[in-house]
Amino acid sequence: MAENILNLATYEQMEELVKQMTLLRQYTMGELEALGVEFTAMPATVTGTRTLDASSSTLRVNAGSMNTDPYPTTDIRYKFPFNEIRTAKITADFEVVRWIDEPDFLDADGIIAVRLSKAYIDVRDIYNPVLRRDKTPDCILPPLFYDYETQSERDYVWVGADKSVKVLGENKLTCALGEAYYTNVREDTVLRPYSEAVGDGWSQADIALRDYLRILILIAGASHNTQAVFGRGVCDLRYNASDVVTVETLTSNFVVVSDATGALYNVNEWVNLGNAVGNTGKFAQRKITLKEANYDTLGNTRITVDGAVFTSSVGNVLWHAPQLISDEDFMAMGNECGYIGTDGRVPVSFFGIWNLWGNVWEWCDGFFHVDSVPYFTYDPSKYSLIGASQPADLSQFTQHSVVMPSSNGYCGQFAGTPAIPSTLSGGSDSAGMCDYFYTASGYRALRVGGSLADGSFAGFFAWYVDSTPSSASWTIGSRLLGRP
Amino acid sequence: MKTVNLSQSPSLYQAQRVKEEVIITLYDNVKDVSTEENMQFEADMYQLKLPYRKGLLSSDSYDVMLAFAKKLSNPSNAVEERQARDVLV
């Protein structure tokens, strides 16, 4: 028998066979590392218990400031795949130019992206996910790591570290610090093609990525309440028509508002000014550099912003712009979790992937619904079929086995593969998925996470399926995903 | 930083790939402290641990890496404190 095998198999095949047999033996003996988390009382109890080799793991989050003490050895950051999550500046061809902790990272050219390593998953029970480095009988390859073109596995993907920004003078996107997110443009004709224009293997973030991140987040945080565990994200800011200018200013770089309004804004926060809320006719994406309460005897506050001078009129509306991550905060956080500053007003990092919730919504490609019946594809070559109107040939997509709720509300539970909202029952800001679900009838695409004034509605599990890819708003951006 | 004694003059930049990481050893202030019986050198040694990329194996970045290592040995802000914890060996 052994002789026959040797006759038939090449050396490489034998090597692979031995490797598989070794893995099988190790799997049977319980020697292969596996991380899991179990939620036994969802949707009422949103926290879970880490299982298998994660059972004694902990998670330390930087809550407001950086804790630069050594991490306890039990921290989950030392476990695969968290220990391989790394930020770098990379080329469009996926060549690393500089890792984040190299000395001249900020000065280097490249797309800022985070490398996510391949892990195999067991998601047969949505409330008991398991993740392994090695392929075993109980675990499958997440679609994120499957190359539909070559029908092979890829070892890792690159995820934009933050929302995308536009490359000056070109119809393509990148990820860079200190530049306004590219919003207020359509997904189907701008954000998606501009993402794909980065190069071969690039697209917008999609449902395959979101579903893989869901498992990482649940195992790392052992909770569905992402805002409570990692930080609220940018969700408690102002988008309100009552935040008006009270005193006209001429060719200066400050606005005057009531003390009550001024109290809602802080130095280092990014703001817009226009003739109505949502309008940026006076200025866009300026940083507050100085705030002087009781500036005059009339109960006004003077707010100074950076940039060129402007003129403001009584009744102009001040409102928060998306909050950009400073170089200092980005570098200080590295590939850790948490936020620097006031919870709810600053971006949150999940191992160096920022703004997975809050700030601005993020289009999630590869998914849409028609009257609550969801369809999806993991094949990026089909994303362009998800256009302004319903795809003519729905057979190009997989119809999901779960029907989504047909009304709005806090999401109670997710179900199926990929995991999607299945019911609002049991949901609240602290129960179920802890985040909000918005929908509308007809053909609608998916955006996720929430925006800067969404409060507790925001979170990793916030889903918004009530607009088509032709929608454009300052509240919606996108994230790059690179598949080498 | 450690002061180390060496039996021969070291190459100032040594990078060794260990799986998916690179351990970079940097020497500075190398002094010949040989005696009649023994050849000996004394040097300041810094070690950094970074994820692997090919360019890190080249000694071209010795000056930049040495300045970086010295900065992290005496961190002055949260960025350097974190990097010192994560990068310095």
Side-chain angles (χ1 to χ4, degrees), chain B residues 14 27 32 35 42-43 54 63-64 66 72 79 81-82 84:
Chain B
Q14 297 174 19
Y27 292 101
D32 186 344
T35 60
E42 190 180 275
K54 198 176 174 185
D63 292 336
V64 174
L66 182 64
L72 296 192
V79 177
E81 282 175 24
R82 182 193 65 73

PDB file of all heavy atoms in Angstrom, chain B residues 14 27 32 35 42-43 54 63-64 66 72 79 81-82 84:
ATOM      1  N   GLN B  14      23.474  44.366  12.027  1.00  0.00           N
ATOM      2  CA  GLN B  14      23.244  42.938  11.774  1.00  0.00           C
ATOM      3  C   GLN B  14      21.751  42.683  11.846  1.00  0.00           C
ATOM      4  O   GLN B  14      21.108  43.031  12.841  1.00  0.00           O
ATOM      5  CB  GLN B  14      23.962  42.092  12.815  1.00  0.00           C
ATOM      6  CG  GLN B  14      25.478  42.253  12.773  1.00  0.00           C
ATOM      7  CD  GLN B  14      26.157  41.521  13.920  1.00  0.00           C
ATOM      8  OE1 GLN B  14      25.599  40.631  14.535  1.00  0.00           O
ATOM      9  NE2 GLN B  14      27.388  41.918  14.201  1.00  0.00           N
ATOM     10  N   TYR B  27      25.441  48.309  16.586  1.00  0.00           N
ATOM     11  CA  TYR B  27      26.554  48.625  17.479  1.00  0.00           C
ATOM     12  C   TYR B  27      26.986  50.073  17.266  1.00  0.00           C
ATOM     13  O   TYR B  27      26.955  50.589  16.147  1.00  0.00           O
ATOM     14  CB  TYR B  27      27.734  47.689  17.208  1.00  0.00           C
ATOM     15  CG  TYR B  27      27.449  46.254  17.595  1.00  0.00           C
ATOM     16  CD1 TYR B  27      27.111  45.319  16.628  1.00  0.00           C
ATOM     17  CD2 TYR B  27      27.516  45.852  18.927  1.00  0.00           C
ATOM     18  CE1 TYR B  27      26.843  44.004  16.974  1.00  0.00           C
ATOM     19  CE2 TYR B  27      27.245  44.538  19.286  1.00  0.00           C
ATOM     20  CZ  TYR B  27      26.911  43.617  18.306  1.00  0.00           C
ATOM     21  OH  TYR B  27      26.643  42.330  18.668  1.00  0.00           O
ATOM     22  N   ASP B  32      38.334  49.536  20.744  1.00  0.00           N
ATOM     23  CA  ASP B  32      39.274  48.414  20.845  1.00  0.00           C
ATOM     24  C   ASP B  32      39.890  48.445  22.246  1.00  0.00           C
ATOM     25  O   ASP B  32      40.620  49.379  22.596  1.00  0.00           O
ATOM     26  CB  ASP B  32      40.356  48.568  19.776  1.00  0.00           C
ATOM     27  CG  ASP B  32      41.275  47.354  19.741  1.00  0.00           C
ATOM     28  OD1 ASP B  32      41.260  46.563  20.710  1.00  0.00           O
ATOM     29  OD2 ASP B  32      41.998  47.208  18.743  1.00  0.00           O
ATOM     30  N   THR B  35      43.908  43.583  25.041  1.00  0.00           N
ATOM     31  CA  THR B  35      45.115  43.522  25.850  1.00  0.00           C
ATOM     32  C   THR B  35      46.144  42.716  25.064  1.00  0.00           C
ATOM     33  O   THR B  35      45.843  42.221  23.966  1.00  0.00           O
ATOM     34  CB  THR B  35      44.820  42.825  27.193  1.00  0.00           C
ATOM     35  OG1 THR B  35      44.367  41.509  26.906  1.00  0.00           O
ATOM     36  CG2 THR B  35      43.779  43.583  27.994  1.00  0.00           C
ATOM     37  N   GLU B  42      34.786  46.767  22.989  1.00  0.00           N
ATOM     38  CA  GLU B  42      33.636  47.162  23.804  1.00  0.00           C
ATOM     39  C   GLU B  42      32.724  48.007  22.917  1.00  0.00           C
ATOM     40  O   GLU B  42      33.220  48.819  22.118  1.00  0.00           O
ATOM     41  CB  GLU B  42      34.127  47.985  24.997  1.00  0.00           C
ATOM     42  CG  GLU B  42      33.064  48.240  26.047  1.00  0.00           C
ATOM     43  CD  GLU B  42      33.656  49.065  27.186  1.00  0.00           C
ATOM     44  OE1 GLU B  42      34.254  48.466  28.101  1.00  0.00           O
ATOM     45  OE2 GLU B  42      33.508  50.297  27.139  1.00  0.00           O
ATOM     46  N   ALA B  43      31.427  47.830  23.031  1.00  0.00           N
ATOM     47  CA  ALA B  43      30.504  48.595  22.168  1.00  0.00           C
ATOM     48  C   ALA B  43      29.155  48.763  22.849  1.00  0.00           C
ATOM     49  O   ALA B  43      28.780  47.979  23.728  1.00  0.00           O
ATOM     50  CB  ALA B  43      30.326  47.867  20.843  1.00  0.00           C
ATOM     51  N   LYS B  54      12.078  42.838   3.266  1.00  0.00           N
ATOM     52  CA  LYS B  54      13.403  42.581   2.712  1.00  0.00           C
ATOM     53  C   LYS B  54      14.382  43.723   3.002  1.00  0.00           C
ATOM     54  O   LYS B  54      15.544  43.493   3.352  1.00  0.00           O
ATOM     55  CB  LYS B  54      13.272  42.377   1.204  1.00  0.00           C
ATOM     56  CG  LYS B  54      14.441  41.691   0.563  1.00  0.00           C
ATOM     57  CD  LYS B  54      14.157  41.460  -0.922  1.00  0.00           C
ATOM     58  CE  LYS B  54      15.393  40.902  -1.602  1.00  0.00           C
ATOM     59  NZ  LYS B  54      15.206  40.781  -3.039  1.00  0.00           N
ATOM     60  N   ASP B  63      22.237  54.335  10.026  1.00  0.00           N
ATOM     61  CA  ASP B  63      22.195  55.627  10.722  1.00  0.00           C
ATOM     62  C   ASP B  63      20.790  55.938  11.240  1.00  0.00           C
ATOM     63  O   ASP B  63      20.612  56.373  12.374  1.00  0.00           O
ATOM     64  CB  ASP B  63      22.671  56.747   9.792  1.00  0.00           C
ATOM     65  CG  ASP B  63      24.153  56.627   9.488  1.00  0.00           C
ATOM     66  OD1 ASP B  63      24.876  56.021  10.301  1.00  0.00           O
ATOM     67  OD2 ASP B  63      24.580  57.119   8.428  1.00  0.00           O
ATOM     68  N   VAL B  64      19.808  55.707  10.375  1.00  0.00           N
ATOM     69  CA  VAL B  64      18.421  55.994  10.753  1.00  0.00           C
ATOM     70  C   VAL B  64      17.990  55.083  11.903  1.00  0.00           C
ATOM     71  O   VAL B  64      17.389  55.527  12.885  1.00  0.00           O
ATOM     72  CB  VAL B  64      17.483  55.789   9.533  1.00  0.00           C
ATOM     73  CG1 VAL B  64      16.027  55.944   9.926  1.00  0.00           C
ATOM     74  CG2 VAL B  64      17.832  56.789   8.448  1.00  0.00           C
ATOM     75  N   LEU B  66      19.907  53.539  14.064  1.00  0.00           N
ATOM     76  CA  LEU B  66      20.640  53.827  15.296  1.00  0.00           C
ATOM     77  C   LEU B  66      20.030  55.039  16.000  1.00  0.00           C
ATOM     78  O   LEU B  66      19.816  55.016  17.223  1.00  0.00           O
ATOM     79  CB  LEU B  66      22.118  54.077  14.991  1.00  0.00           C
ATOM     80  CG  LEU B  66      22.986  54.348  16.222  1.00  0.00           C
ATOM     81  CD1 LEU B  66      23.034  53.124  17.135  1.00  0.00           C
ATOM     82  CD2 LEU B  66      24.406  54.762  15.822  1.00  0.00           C
ATOM     83  N   LEU B  72      14.386  55.749  21.204  1.00  0.00           N
ATOM     84  CA  LEU B  72      13.498  54.865  21.965  1.00  0.00           C
ATOM     85  C   LEU B  72      14.112  54.477  23.315  1.00  0.00           C
ATOM     86  O   LEU B  72      13.391  54.120  24.250  1.00  0.00           O
ATOM     87  CB  LEU B  72      13.175  53.602  21.165  1.00  0.00           C
ATOM     88  CG  LEU B  72      12.389  53.788  19.862  1.00  0.00           C
ATOM     89  CD1 LEU B  72      11.888  52.447  19.353  1.00  0.00           C
ATOM     90  CD2 LEU B  72      11.222  54.744  20.037  1.00  0.00           C
ATOM     91  N   VAL B  79       4.157  58.054  21.895  1.00  0.00           N
ATOM     92  CA  VAL B  79       4.517  57.267  20.708  1.00  0.00           C
ATOM     93  C   VAL B  79       5.819  56.516  20.973  1.00  0.00           C
ATOM     94  O   VAL B  79       5.914  55.293  20.762  1.00  0.00           O
ATOM     95  CB  VAL B  79       4.684  58.184  19.473  1.00  0.00           C
ATOM     96  CG1 VAL B  79       5.134  57.361  18.266  1.00  0.00           C
ATOM     97  CG2 VAL B  79       3.395  58.922  19.165  1.00  0.00           C
ATOM     98  N   GLU B  81       7.229  55.906  23.837  1.00  0.00           N
ATOM     99  CA  GLU B  81       7.092  54.937  24.946  1.00  0.00           C
ATOM    100  C   GLU B  81       6.504  53.626  24.440  1.00  0.00           C
ATOM    101  O   GLU B  81       6.955  52.537  24.801  1.00  0.00           O
ATOM    102  CB  GLU B  81       6.204  55.520  26.046  1.00  0.00           C
ATOM    103  CG  GLU B  81       6.906  56.532  26.928  1.00  0.00           C
ATOM    104  CD  GLU B  81       5.970  57.172  27.929  1.00  0.00           C
ATOM    105  OE1 GLU B  81       4.944  56.560  28.272  1.00  0.00           O
ATOM    106  OE2 GLU B  81       6.268  58.298  28.355  1.00  0.00           O
ATOM    107  N   ARG B  82       5.473  53.739  23.606  1.00  0.00           N
ATOM    108  CA  ARG B  82       4.863  52.513  23.087  1.00  0.00           C
ATOM    109  C   ARG B  82       5.837  51.763  22.182  1.00  0.00           C
ATOM    110  O   ARG B  82       6.009  50.547  22.284  1.00  0.00           O
ATOM    111  CB  ARG B  82       3.585  52.824  22.308  1.00  0.00           C
ATOM    112  CG  ARG B  82       2.901  51.564  21.791  1.00  0.00           C
ATOM    113  CD  ARG B  82       1.841  51.839  20.776  1.00  0.00           C
ATOM    114  NE  ARG B  82       2.326  52.416  19.542  1.00  0.00           N
ATOM    115  CZ  ARG B  82       3.018  51.750  18.610  1.00  0.00           C
ATOM    116  NH1 ARG B  82       3.315  50.470  18.789  1.00  0.00           N
ATOM    117  NH2 ARG B  82       3.434  52.345  17.509  1.00  0.00           N
ATOM    118  N   ALA B  84       9.036  51.937  22.194  1.00  0.00           N
ATOM    119  CA  ALA B  84      10.127  51.376  22.991  1.00  0.00           C
ATOM    120  C   ALA B  84       9.702  50.032  23.587  1.00  0.00           C
ATOM    121  O   ALA B  84      10.459  49.057  23.572  1.00  0.00           O
ATOM    122  CB  ALA B  84      10.514  52.351  24.093  1.00  0.00           C
TER     123      ALA B  84
END
